[in-house]
Amino acid sequence: MTQETTLDPFALWKNMYEKTEANLNDVIHETLQKEAFSEWLGNYQNAFLQYQSFVQKTTENYLKQINMPTREEISSVASLIINVEEKIENLDQKVEDELLTNPSTAEINKLKVSVSKLDKKMDQILKLLQQNEKKAPPVSSEVQK
Amino acid sequence: MIYDRTKEMEAWVDLIPEEMQKNYNRFKRVSEVLTKDPEPQVGQTPKEVIWTKNKAKLYRYQPAKAKTNKVPLLMVYALINKPYVLDLTPGKSLIEYLTDQGHDVYLLDWGTPGYEDRHMKLDDYVLDYIPRAVQKVLRTSGADEISVLGYCMGGTMTSIFAALHPELPIRNLIFLTSPFDFADLGLYTNWLDERYFNLDKMVDTLGIVPPETIDFGNKLLKPIANYVGPFVSLADHADNEEFIKGWTLLQKWVHDGIPFPGEAYRQWIGEFYQKNKLINDELVIRGHHVRLGSIKANILNIAAQHDHIATPKQVEALMDKVSSRDKTYHVMPAGHVSLLVGGGAVKRTYPTIENWLTEHSK
């Protein structure tokens, strides 16, 4: 009896990947850890930065010629906004600190309570005085008799 | 016309052997994922912005949810990629998990720096942003103490912040795959060798370092696994929609890089990768000497066993430097990203953090 099999390209590829990955990794790792690779990476980095620098300078000159703001100029505006925001933040912090730590609000509230108590007492005194006035006999008429 | 042809093709596929149909469907699904499927939604846990500064935003998560843990948690993200990896998708989100357990979670998102931020230094982040965010969290939550969680480079920054602010009420520090010792970095040590890697020229020319440069460096550590591996996995699991969902989410995050402010990059590579100043108590931030020994808060330090970006050796080095009495070091069976994303993260990382945090917030 023969077993019927169909071609499964993915399984084939995955199998190949799994078998070669570990070996390939070792080879690549060996290359990547060599000092020569670090040196090459450094050279590549320098060349890339040289190219970047050239592109940046060219773009900047072109933008200046056509009276358009450069990245530097736009970022300066953004910095100004950030600085203003920073000042608002500092003020916000001061206000918050003041509200939480300064006892003036509490003292004003205490004063308000004292004044209102005093006000009530004054009202009571006035009330009593008025009652006394009504109860007292008219002194002037007796004197005439 | 094209539709007719597609229909004809589909009808024809029905006639071919089952094995070949499977391969056709695999190819079709992979093409759809790579070309047609919309980008997945990320960072969906409800949040409110409670403070902003320049591009940075401080979020409070699930403000309407009851907070049963009295010590709030501030997450400090790295300057590489975007922070939604901490809140990837419902069911796979550290932030969602912790807020669901009653923690009051805040996240400091640095935002996307522009060319105008090229002068930003680590000094600015550590001394101007993080302390203010801590103050905001304490005031919003009404708590007396705070826990801070730093992810990757964000953890390194958090350690510097904590070392320079012993006066702040930091009760707990959690570090997730954060490098502290840069002595033996394998390939990085070779590539960033001062004799070949022209750091100053790079920063001076580019101003802000493009995300592709950082991504290239990370991927070059394991080029085949990073460049080919993901597509092999995708083709292999093309019939598994749950896998595809996770794959697209992760690929979105991996390729969603942000630029690195030039001056901060000069410090990060020069003073950490090239001179290893932090662990040797030689780092100076705006004139202040950084000594990790000044840290006294409780520490949970988590490393990933297969991490080649922040190796366990780099992470563990913190443990001998700090003065904390209560310090725990964990190595998880995961990689740099899978520590936070995927089934293993939900099963192991999230509960480990949650349990420790609850235990240390009583």
Side-chain angles (χ1 to χ4, degrees):
Chain A
M1 253 176 74
T2 54
Q3 199 183 346
E4 208 175 298
T5 52
T6 48
L7 180 72
D8 183 350
F10 176 73
L12 204 72
W13 178 75
K14 195 184 158 229
N15 197 20
M16 196 178 77
Y17 169 80
E18 279 168 356
K19 279 183 181 163
T20 53
E21 196 229 334
N23 293 332
L24 261 175
N25 255 338
D26 289 345
V27 173
I28 291 172
H29 190 83
E30 213 171 286
T31 311
L32 295 180
Q33 70 179 355
K34 279 182 183 161
E35 195 171 336
F37 180 77
S38 304
E39 201 178 341
W40 173 82
L41 206 63
N43 288 335
Y44 176 77
Q45 183 203 28
N46 275 326
F48 169 73
L49 292 174
Q50 201 72 33
Y51 167 72
Q52 276 296 317
S53 181
F54 169 75
V55 170
Q56 278 172 21
K57 277 177 190 156
T58 313
T59 314
E60 206 167 300
N61 286 336
Y62 175 68
L63 288 171
K64 275 178 184 163
Q65 275 176 14
I66 60 165
N67 283 328
M68 289 293 282
T70 61
R71 183 165 72 148
E72 190 82 34
E73 285 161 346
I74 292 171
S75 79
S76 296
V77 177
S79 296
L80 291 174
I81 297 168
I82 292 166
N83 291 344
V84 172
E85 201 193 46
E86 184 76 36
K87 282 178 185 164
I88 295 171
E89 157 69 12
N90 288 341
L91 282 173
D92 177 56
Q93 190 173 353
K94 273 183 188 155
V95 169
E96 202 182 278
D97 289 346
E98 198 73 12
L99 284 173
L100 284 168
T101 54
N102 200 330
S104 62
T105 324
E107 273 184 18
I108 289 168
N109 285 337
K110 269 187 193 171
L111 264 173
K112 273 184 189 170
V113 173
S114 302
V115 169
S116 78
K117 277 182 186 169
L118 207 67
D119 201 33
K120 274 180 191 169
K121 280 178 187 168
M122 289 286 282
D123 282 346
Q124 280 177 342
I125 293 168
L126 279 172
K127 211 175 166 184
L128 284 170
L129 277 173
Q130 278 171 351
Q131 281 172 357
N132 260 0
E133 252 177 37
K134 279 179 190 171
K135 280 179 191 172
V139 180
S140 56
S141 58
E142 272 182 26
V143 172
Q144 277 174 353
K145 281 175 187 176
Chain B
M1 182 100 174
I2 292 168
Y3 175 74
D4 286 348
R5 291 267 161 86
T6 316
K7 289 292 266 184
E8 270 175 36
M9 179 84 171
E10 297 283 335
W12 180 77
V13 167
D14 286 342
L15 302 173
I16 62 175
E18 204 179 321
E19 270 300 306
M20 286 169 84
Q21 269 185 42
K22 212 175 150 189
N23 269 319
Y24 168 77
N25 290 331
R26 186 199 306 277
F27 175 74
K28 194 180 154 204
R29 189 69 192 106
V30 170
S31 328
E32 279 171 0
V33 171
L34 297 176
T35 57
K36 274 166 77 179
D37 283 6
E39 283 209 352
Q41 294 288 304
V42 290
Q44 294 182 65
T45 306
K47 59 182 183 283
E48 62 179 358
V49 177
I50 62 165
W51 174 68
T52 62
K53 184 176 168 77
N54 193 355
K55 275 95 180 167
K57 281 182 182 154
L58 179 63
Y59 294 110
R60 186 187 197 198
Y61 283 87
Q62 307 221 53
K65 210 150 201 154
K67 311 294 177 202
T68 50
N69 192 318
K70 61 176 183 163
V71 184
L73 174 68
L74 169 66
M75 294 183 172
V76 177
Y77 190 68
L79 297 176
I80 301 161
N81 279 34
K82 291 185 180 169
Y84 60 74
V85 70
L86 296 163
D87 182 28
L88 203 56
T89 194
K92 287 176 184 167
S93 156
L94 175 63
I95 289 174
E96 180 198 47
Y97 184 89
L98 292 174
T99 45
D100 281 350
Q101 303 289 325
H103 295 276
D104 194 3
V105 180
Y106 299 78
L107 169 74
L108 183 53
D109 174 359
W110 300 115
T112 304
Y115 188 66
E116 63 279 6
D117 300 310
R118 62 194 179 281
H119 303 301
M120 290 278 289
K121 295 181 80 176
L122 291 178
D123 308 32
D124 303 310
Y125 293 110
V126 168
L127 295 175
D128 298 337
Y129 284 69
I130 305 179
R132 184 83 175 115
V134 165
Q135 193 188 45
K136 280 280 172 187
V137 169
L138 287 171
R139 283 180 182 172
T140 307
S141 62
D144 299 327
E145 289 177 301
I146 191 170
S147 300
V148 187
L149 180 150
Y151 174 64
C152 187
M153 182 196 175
T156 318
M157 289 159 76
T158 300
S159 71
I160 301 168
F161 153 74
L164 292 177
H165 293 88
E167 80 286 358
L168 287 176
I170 305 166
R171 180 154 168 181
N172 303 307
L173 287 171
I174 302 172
F175 301 107
L176 282 181
T177 59
S178 301
F180 299 101
D181 186 0
F182 297 78
D184 180 19
L185 302 169
L187 292 175
Y188 276 139
T189 308
N190 296 354
W191 300 344
L192 298 173
D193 189 319
E194 285 175 72
R195 288 173 298 165
Y196 309 121
F197 187 79
N198 201 339
L199 177 62
D200 289 334
K201 190 175 177 183
M202 187 163 177
V203 173
D204 295 341
T205 308
L206 300 175
I208 49 170
V209 180
E212 293 78 17
T213 311
I214 296 152
D215 189 44
F216 174 70
N218 286 340
K219 282 187 173 160
L220 204 60
L221 290 172
K222 283 190 172 178
I224 297 183
N226 288 325
Y227 283 108
V228 188
F231 300 100
V232 177
S233 303
L234 176 66
D236 203 16
H237 299 89
D239 52 353
N240 181 346
E241 283 306 315
E242 193 56 35
F243 176 88
I244 290 175
K245 194 186 165 202
W247 189 91
T248 46
L249 280 162
L250 198 59
Q251 289 302 307
K252 178 185 165 77
W253 180 74
V254 167
H255 296 107
D256 204 2
I258 56 166
F260 205 120
E263 288 308 320
Y265 185 80
R266 201 193 303 264
Q267 278 178 300
W268 183 237
I269 300 297
E271 300 190 16
F272 292 78
Y273 279 83
Q274 290 180 337
K275 296 193 176 80
N276 196 19
K277 286 187 174 179
L278 177 65
I279 206 77
N280 294 318
D281 292 338
E282 289 166 0
L283 186 70
V284 176
I285 293 285
R286 205 180 280 165
H288 304 280
H289 220 109
V290 181
R291 288 186 182 87
L292 291 173
S294 311
I295 298 176
K296 289 181 181 133
N298 305 322
I299 286 179
L300 173 64
N301 192 11
I302 299 178
Q305 198 180 346
H306 310 293
D307 193 345
H308 53 274
I309 293 173
T311 61
K313 203 176 152 192
Q314 281 180 272
V315 176
E316 193 183 5
L318 176 80
M319 305 310 282
D320 294 332
K321 295 294 291 186
V322 291
S323 307
S324 313
R325 283 187 187 165
D326 187 331
K327 47 186 176 181
T328 310
Y329 174 65
H330 265 301
V331 184
M332 300 281 190
H336 189 72
V337 182
S338 59
L339 182 82
L340 260 186
V341 180
V346 180
K347 271 184 211 153
R348 286 183 293 268
T349 315
Y350 299 178
T352 305
I353 295 171
E354 202 282 316
N355 291 338
W356 187 89
L357 205 52
T358 305
E359 197 56 40
H360 288 77
S361 303
K362 284 174 185 165

